[in-house]
């Protein structure tokens, strides 16, 4: 029994030693050759990923549209002083918060007869102040182009009136109303989905091949024996398949 146990341990030792050495060091060159040998799998996963992403874009992604409107925050007096400009700049952030306030959003919902809550409406809005200027841009994103345009214009009109009520200074000046020809579709294009799907498929294929490479501890050639066990190869027995000369 002791002899059999020792012989079994001796047989298992080279395999465990090879596994330990392979886990300790990763041969990137060998991994690169493995990836190149599996190029068909890489191409297949890339194509399948691109096709799935394309099908998702065509059948499941709903188009979204963006409507823009903008106002200019400043005093309406004919003579504008530096202090007026500084005050307008300081109040720009306050104006942005007024535009997205609960009372303003509820009035817009009532004005446009929208079937949504003010929380839902707030998710469609993006209020920006580019480069800390006196301009406030109102952007509305939704799946209906006409609805996006109407909401943007209604929000601007209601917001301007509400700002005048709260701040008490001159009403902001309208720079641009939202118009039909200015509404743009913001849905990512088919090419973008194809590229992303293909890249995800390629990454997944590389990950699977790499995991299999790291978990594979078998010795496949005399070079593996010399590399991982550091033992000389004394002889090689060729594989003979019966029925072939």
């Amino acid at each position: 029994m002791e002899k059999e146990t020792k012989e079994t341990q001796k047989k298992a030792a080279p395999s465990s030693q090879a596994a330990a050495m392979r886990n300790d060091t990763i041969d990137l060159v060998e991994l690169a050759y493995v990836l190149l040998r599996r190029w068909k799998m890489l191409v297949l996963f890339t194509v399948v990923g691109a096709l799935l992403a394309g099908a998702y874009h065509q059948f499941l992604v709903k188009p979204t549209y963006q409507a823009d409107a903008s106002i200019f925050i400043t005093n309406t007096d004919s003579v504008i002083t530096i202090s007026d400009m500084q005050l307008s700049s300081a109040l720009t952030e306050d104006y942005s918060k007024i535009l997205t306030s609960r009372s303003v959003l509820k009035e817009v919902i009532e004005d446009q007869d929208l079937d949504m809550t003010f929380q839902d409406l707030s998710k469609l809005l993006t209020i920006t102040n580019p480069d800390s200027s006196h301009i406030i841009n109102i952007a509305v994103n939704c799946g209906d182009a006409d609805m996006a345009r109407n909401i943007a214009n209604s929000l601007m009109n209601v917001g301007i009136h509400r700002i005048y009520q709260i701040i008490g200074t001159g009403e902001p000046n309208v720079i641009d109303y939202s118009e039909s020809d200015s509404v743009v579709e913001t849905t990512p294009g088919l090419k973008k989905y194809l590229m992303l799907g293909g890249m995800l498929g390629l990454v997944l294929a590389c990950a699977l091949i790499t995991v299999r490479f790291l978990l594979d501890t078998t010795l496949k050639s005399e070079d593996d024996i010399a590399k991982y066990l550091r033992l000389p190869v004394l002889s090689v027995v060729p594989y003979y398949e019966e029925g072939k000369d």
Side-chain angles (χ1 to χ4, degrees):
M1 290 292 293
E2 292 182 359
K3 289 184 178 180
E4 292 180 358
T5 303
K6 290 182 179 179
E7 290 178 358
T8 303
Q9 291 176 349
K10 288 181 180 179
K11 291 180 180 179
S15 179
S16 61
Q17 183 180 359
M21 294 184 67
R22 178 166 291 190
N23 290 331
D24 289 341
T25 59
I26 300 176
D27 192 336
L28 297 180
V29 176
E30 184 178 356
L31 176 59
Y33 279 116
V34 171
L35 292 173
L36 289 176
R37 286 197 298 269
R38 297 297 187 95
W39 67 270
K40 291 183 179 180
M41 179 179 176
L42 298 178
V43 172
L44 177 63
F45 272 64
T46 301
V47 173
V48 171
L51 292 177
L52 290 176
Y56 176 79
H57 176 273
Q58 291 295 105
F59 299 107
L60 297 178
V61 175
K62 297 180 179 180
T64 56
Y65 301 91
Q66 178 174 303
D68 298 290
S70 57
I71 57 178
F72 185 77
I73 305 297
T74 187
N75 198 318
T76 57
D77 296 336
S78 57
V79 179
I80 301 176
T81 64
I82 296 177
S83 60
D84 291 332
M85 297 295 290
Q86 292 175 343
L87 178 61
S88 299
S89 179
L91 291 176
T92 301
E93 185 176 353
D94 297 331
Y95 294 158
S96 301
K97 292 181 179 179
I98 293 174
L99 287 171
T100 55
S101 64
R102 183 172 60 252
S103 60
V104 170
L105 297 182
K106 285 186 175 181
E107 190 170 345
V108 171
I109 292 173
E110 183 179 353
D111 178 56
Q112 295 298 313
D113 194 22
L114 301 175
D115 186 17
M116 63 178 67
T117 63
F118 73 90
Q119 293 95 334
D120 296 331
L121 179 57
S122 65
K123 295 177 182 178
L124 306 180
L125 307 178
T126 303
I127 309 296
T128 56
N129 173 223
D131 302 324
S132 299
S133 63
H134 302 283
I135 298 174
I136 294 179
N137 289 331
I138 301 171
V140 181
N141 290 273
C142 68
D144 189 301
D146 293 333
M147 180 185 292
R149 185 188 73 252
N150 294 335
I151 291 176
N153 290 330
S154 178
L155 179 65
M156 183 171 61
N157 293 329
V158 173
I160 287 176
H161 181 65
R162 188 63 174 163
I163 288 172
Y164 178 73
Q165 288 180 328
I166 296 175
I167 305 299
T169 59
E171 290 188 357
N173 297 319
V174 176
I175 298 177
D176 285 317
Y177 280 101
S178 181
E179 299 176 349
S180 299
D181 56 356
S182 64
V183 178
V184 296
E185 184 176 353
T186 57
T187 310
L190 178 60
K191 290 183 179 180
K192 186 175 182 179
Y193 272 86
L194 292 175
M195 291 178 60
L196 290 176
M199 290 177 61
L200 288 176
L202 179 61
V203 170
L204 178 60
C206 291
L208 291 175
I209 294 173
T210 302
V211 170
R212 290 188 60 182
F213 170 77
L214 296 177
L215 295 178
D216 186 8
T217 59
T218 58
L219 301 176
K220 298 180 176 60
S221 65
E222 54 268 29
D223 293 334
D224 289 345
I225 296 175
K227 180 177 180 180
Y228 295 111
L229 301 181
R230 297 175 183 173
L231 296 175
V233 179
L234 301 179
S235 63
V236 177
V237 179
Y239 176 75
Y240 174 74
E241 187 175 351
E242 189 175 355
K244 290 186 177 182
D245 297 332

